[in-house]
Amino acid sequence: MFYSGYSPQGTVNKGTLLEDPIQLSELKLDIDSGPLKDEFPGKWSIVQFVSGDCLGKCWDTLYSSRQINIRLAKNSDRVVRYLINIGTNNLVSLPALLRRNANTFGSSVAFREKEFGIWQTWSWAKALDEAENFALGLIELGIQPGDFVAVLGRNRPDLYISMIAIQMTGATPVPQYQDSVAEEMEYVLAHCGAKFVVAGDQEQVDKILEIQSKLPAFEQMIYLDGRGLRKYDHSKLHSFLSVMESGKNSGQNVKSILDDRESALSYNSTCVMLYTSGTTGRPKGVVLSNANIIETAKTTCEFDNLKQSDEILAYLPMAWIGDFIFSVGQAMWSGFCVNCPESADTLSTDLREIGPTYYFAPPRVFEMQLTNVMIRMEDSLSLIHISEPTRPERIWYAGVGVK
């Protein structure tokens, strides 16, 4: 990328390569207009603004991107490059958004999950408490910044919360398709070098145990549903509740470590790693930053006018970018409630009970719903209209041969 423009000491030749990044604390700007005019006083002259790979944008457009590369000429023969990490009012990560929601919305419902036919709820305050305790528990288990953590299972509040907790520790969540077979998971987990795994139930645990000898980086696994796991070797196996309890009882030293790691998160920090489905070859890992997720969530929430009072149903694969944007990014940004169905078999019933105000689905889902309706119409009994002379109202009876 190149700049063109001038410096206070004279004209700068076009085509000079930017170099020598310096600290933001050294930044001084002389801005005639724009939101940053009063934030960075000084005697620097702007040479060119760059937002991503787009050149020649106006200041307002650049500022709305919340991530601005400002290229300045310091003198006639030296150029310095500045990256202003503005973020969105210091909300530069998903953990930061979770804290804002807990402080702002408090007891409002953040997640619901139907279990044994009853809807269970998580408030924003409870979600933050769980995320913090789980993050502290992960640190107790030895997780380090830069580690990758695979997340396996169906849509569940605890799995969404665990992904936020993983980011708090400086690690990166890698959600997986729950219906993937062990061999498919082997490639992805080996490719990203996952050291930790968060599994939903026995089925997912069994897949990892089957391939653990082929995962040299694998260290620990945490499960949510412990049914069927009582007699398993628990040397590398931990329950979600026990990890949270360990984190809750951790000392001040561990809490200081968590604070430092979370404070180190920036708009450019890795938010999540998502793998492609691999239909045309090996799955490819896509690394997305906080800026990618938050800006996409912010823009789409504004476009669709999504508010804290909205409700969505989380039923799409957690490994898909769409679900991560809707059920994590948009939920964290707008504060709406994410509802998780009990199972794929109860999806239609749960959908009617929740009545989501915001419902996203790919074409195949709508086609399947239409097919189900048409089949039920074909299989249903005839509707016969019967009028009784002594009663003025009309009555509809389902069946054949009703007299």
Side-chain angles (χ1 to χ4, degrees):
M1 303 293 282
F2 301 91
Y3 74 91
S4 63
Y6 65 92
S7 73
Q9 287 76 23
T11 301
V12 178
N13 296 325
K14 294 182 179 181
T16 304
L17 187 63
L18 300 176
E19 56 187 10
D20 298 333
I22 66 174
Q23 298 297 318
L24 180 62
S25 60
E26 300 178 42
L27 177 61
K28 301 291 182 182
L29 296 179
D30 182 16
I31 299 174
D32 295 328
S33 63
L36 297 184
K37 179 179 180 181
D38 299 326
E39 288 189 43
F40 301 100
K43 296 182 179 180
W44 292 81
S45 295
I46 299 172
V47 173
Q48 186 179 40
F49 293 95
V50 181
S51 178
D53 293 329
C54 301
L55 304 179
K57 298 287 187 179
C58 68
W59 172 259
D60 291 337
T61 301
L62 287 167
Y63 184 73
S64 66
S65 74
R66 298 314 199 274
Q67 184 173 329
I68 305 170
N69 288 321
I70 297 183
R71 296 174 174 183
L72 306 174
K74 187 174 181 180
N75 51 50
S76 59
D77 59 3
R78 182 168 180 261
V79 174
V80 291
R81 178 176 183 267
Y82 298 92
L83 174 61
I84 298 183
N85 194 0
I86 299 174
T88 51
N89 297 324
N90 295 323
L91 301 175
V92 297
S93 67
L94 295 185
L97 288 173
L98 176 57
R99 292 189 182 279
R100 180 207 62 177
N101 292 347
N103 293 330
T104 305
F105 306 129
S107 59
S108 298
V109 179
F111 296 96
R112 288 193 191 92
E113 180 185 27
K114 196 174 187 183
E115 191 171 17
F116 304 115
I118 300 174
W119 287 102
Q120 313 291 332
T121 61
W122 282 253
S123 67
W124 284 108
K126 180 181 178 182
L128 175 60
D129 187 57
E130 283 196 6
E132 286 181 334
N133 290 335
F134 189 62
L136 290 168
L138 288 174
I139 293 176
E140 293 271 11
L141 286 176
I143 196 170
Q144 297 295 325
D147 286 348
F148 291 91
V149 183
V151 180
L152 322 173
R154 63 178 176 85
N155 309 78
R156 299 194 65 178
D158 284 335
L159 291 183
Y160 287 120
I161 292 171
S162 72
M163 288 197 284
I164 305 297
I166 291 165
Q167 293 177 52
M168 285 181 172
T169 68
T172 301
V174 188
Q176 298 294 301
Y177 291 94
Q178 66 167 333
D179 56 355
S180 296
V181 297
E183 289 77 11
E184 293 172 337
M185 287 189 178
E186 175 192 337
Y187 171 78
V188 174
L189 270 61
H191 182 263
C192 71
K195 291 185 178 181
F196 291 78
V197 175
V198 181
D201 53 22
Q202 182 186 19
E203 177 186 359
Q204 306 302 332
V205 170
D206 287 342
K207 293 176 185 178
I208 302 303
L209 294 180
E210 181 182 341
I211 60 174
Q212 66 173 334
S213 61
K214 302 176 183 178
L215 305 175
F218 172 73
E219 294 180 3
Q220 305 287 343
M221 181 158 49
I222 299 124
Y223 59 85
L224 268 62
D225 188 345
R227 286 178 293 183
L229 299 175
R230 186 168 62 89
K231 295 184 178 180
Y232 280 48
D233 180 6
H234 279 67
S235 58
K236 294 185 177 182
L237 198 57
H238 314 271
S239 72
F240 185 81
L241 292 177
S242 68
V243 174
M244 282 204 304
E245 188 65 25
S246 174
K248 185 177 181 180
N249 298 325
S250 60
Q252 187 58 45
N253 182 49
V254 178
K255 294 178 181 178
S256 298
I257 293 174
L258 178 61
D259 290 341
D260 292 341
R261 292 188 186 181
E262 189 175 347
S263 299
L265 297 176
S266 70
Y267 225 39
N268 299 312
S269 298
T270 300
C271 178
V272 67
M273 187 174 185
L274 301 169
Y275 275 81
T276 61
S277 59
T279 53
T280 58
R282 288 289 195 181
K284 300 171 181 64
V286 181
V287 179
L288 298 174
S289 68
N290 285 314
N292 294 138
I293 300 300
I294 295 176
E295 287 301 326
T296 302
K298 172 182 176 292
T299 303
T300 51
C301 283
E302 291 175 351
F303 180 82
D304 290 318
N305 194 29
L306 298 177
K307 304 178 293 297
Q308 190 266 334
S309 57
D310 283 312
E311 304 264 350
I312 73 162
L313 192 69
Y315 67 99
L316 297 167
M318 293 181 65
W320 183 49
I321 177 59
D323 181 73
F324 194 85
I325 291 294
F326 304 131
S327 302
V328 180
Q330 289 184 339
M332 291 298 125
W333 179 260
S334 66
F336 59 54
C337 179
V338 177
N339 300 276
C340 300
E342 187 166 16
S343 69
D345 297 332
T346 65
L347 180 59
S348 298
T349 303
D350 298 339
L351 181 67
R352 287 195 298 270
E353 291 180 0
I354 290 299
T357 59
Y358 177 49
Y359 180 71
F360 177 88
R364 65 175 181 82
V365 172
F366 289 114
E367 290 171 357
M368 183 172 60
Q369 291 177 345
L370 175 61
T371 301
N372 290 336
V373 171
M374 297 299 293
I375 291 174
R376 290 177 182 175
M377 290 175 62
E378 292 292 334
D379 293 343
S380 64
L381 299 175
S382 302
L383 288 174
I384 302 176
H385 174 236
I386 301 177
S387 290
E388 296 183 8
T390 58
R391 298 177 64 185
E393 66 267 28
R394 294 188 302 175
I395 304 175
W396 292 89
Y397 290 95
V400 179
V402 178
K403 296 182 179 179

